[in-house]
Structure formats: C-alpha cells, structure tokens
Amino acid sequence: MAITKVGVLGCGLMGAGIAQVAAQAGFTTVVREVNQAVLDKGLARINAILDKDVGKGKLSAADRDASLARLHGTTSFDDLADCDLIIEAIVEQLPAKREVFTALDALCPPSTIFVSNTSSLTIMEMAAVTKRPDRFAGLHFFNPVPVMKLVEIVRALTTSDETIAALHEFTRALGKTPIDTSDTTGFIVNRLLVPFLLDAVRLLESGVATREDIDEGMKLGCGHPMGPLTLLDFVGIDTVYSIANIMFDEFREPRFAPPPLLRRMMLAGHFGRKSGQGFYKYEG
C-alpha cells in the first residue's frame, strides 16, 4: 500500500493544515473544496503560513516553492480519482461525510485508502457506505496541524492490518507521532478532554470561580499551556458543543452533556476566537 499521492477533502482550517504538511513531506497533494472562493481562501492561508516560516528562517524559500509545486487545488471530485490516500476534513456532520465517501467509492480504484479526520463520529458509520471497509480508517489530526505532533489512528471493526501499517508509515513521514485507538466516539483525547472542558464551564456557571481563576488554576496548578476556557475559545464553542452532543448521544452519560451556558453561547453566536467573542473577547 505505497502512498505517493494524497487527496484532501476540505480546505478549511484542518484541511488546509493537512494538505500543507502532506505537500511539505514530499507527497503530491490535491485539496478539494466545494467552490473556488473557499478553495482560494484555504490556499491563501497555506501560502501565508509558509511565507511566515520563510521569514522566520524556519523554512527555505526553495523548500516553500517545492511544497507549493506539489500542492494543487480543485473543485472537482474527478481530480481525486488517482489518489492513493484520501483524507476527509469537511463539516462534522455524518450525512455530509457519507455522501462524499459514497461518491468517491464509485470513482476511486479499490486500492485507494479512505480516512476521516473526524474528532467524534464513529468510523464504521462512514465505512459502511463503501465497498472498501478494509481500507477505511480514521486519521485524527490536531489543530494547528503544522504544529501539533499527535495523530490518532482509528481502527474500525473492518480495518485491515495492512491499512493500519500504511497509515503508520504515512503519519511518520509527515513528522507526526501516531497513537492507536479503537473506533469509539471521541477516541482517546476527546474522550478525556471534553468532560474536562465541560466541567470548567460548569464551575464558571455555578459561580465557583471567575474565568480567569479557573484558567490560572489549571495553568499554574497542573502545568497546562492554556486554561480550559481559553482552550474552548481556541477550539471553538460550536465545535466542542457539537462533539459533546455526539458523545452524549452515544454514551448517555451526564458528564458528556453540554452545560446550559454553552448552549446559550451558541445561540448568541459566541463561538470563541473565530467570532471575536467567547469566554473572552478578541480583537482583529
């Protein structure tokens, strides 16, 4: 299962990051978006990050140019037909993911490996709509992709040993560290992280402490690089709210249920840094 050409579905924050690291690692990379405007925005983000790295001396201009030469954008599924690996990084909604994988399954040869970057949905629910469940798995990258070293490799009930081995090799070629997890909602990191973040909201909601003291407590008392409420703003209130609902639907455990304050922030459009307002306010 040699991987030389990589397709990425989605050129948003995660998709653009995945496409960038794949191209920088030497893979011919095709990133697909639903329209040209969204694609151009994602490619511009990649260009800006690479230019910034050149300016800081982290990357040579020659390596930047070589990476961009390996990266191609498209709005057509057809351009993904000859990829060895396709990584899905679109909206975290199961019907949308199943739709794109159904289309790609009819387009790509049986040898193509399909993976999802989902952070909460089960892989088997997507693999079931294809004729390649043995070549279907999860690759959960972390934001920001160029910086974060961890990738969760998710084995579904039907994923073959050969597919897992190929994904380990690919992940290491990106300069990342893979860890293995079974196909359970939230996998390893979010299964532990989401209840922690929700409990921080509950502390604030119940008046136990201020947002600043909650964050300082975890930074200085536990050595976390940022407090849980700051992290919620960074990840996105809407993202965590969606993941929490998916996990609660799966396990029906109160610790996964979003607190009322989180729902009210969703209704107010306070999504964190991306909207300029979350638990904190952000300028620019």
Side-chain angles (χ1 to χ4, degrees), residues 2 19 40 43 87 97 103 116 122 131 154 177 179 191 209 247 273:
D40 289 344
L43 293 175
I87 305 170
K97 294 179 186 292
S116 174
T122 54
K131 295 182 175 66
V154 188
T177 300
I179 58 174
R191 186 79 173 267
M247 294 175 75
R273 290 176 62 110

Side-chain angles (χ1 to χ4, degrees), residues 38-83:
V38 179
L39 177 63
D40 289 344
K41 183 178 179 181
L43 293 175
R45 181 186 295 115
I46 295 172
N47 274 274
I49 292 172
L50 293 178
D51 286 344
K52 188 175 181 180
D53 286 346
V54 171
K56 290 182 175 181
K58 295 180 178 180
L59 183 72
S60 71
D63 285 341
R64 174 199 58 198
D65 295 343
S67 297
L68 292 174
R70 288 188 289 266
L71 179 62
H72 311 280
T74 184
T75 58
S76 172
F77 276 128
D78 293 341
D79 292 326
L80 302 173
D82 60 344
C83 290

Side-chain angles (χ1 to χ4, degrees), residues 177-221:
T177 300
I179 58 174
D180 293 302
T181 175
S182 61
D183 185 21
T184 180
T185 299
F187 315 130
I188 297 171
V189 174
N190 279 333
R191 186 79 173 267
L192 296 170
L193 177 63
V194 170
F196 162 66
L197 296 178
L198 298 182
D199 277 343
V201 178
R202 293 184 184 106
L203 282 179
L204 179 66
E205 193 175 47
S206 60
V208 171
T210 65
R211 61 187 181 182
E212 291 84 3
D213 285 346
I214 292 169
D215 278 352
E216 283 297 291
M218 296 312 296
K219 286 169 61 181
L220 302 181

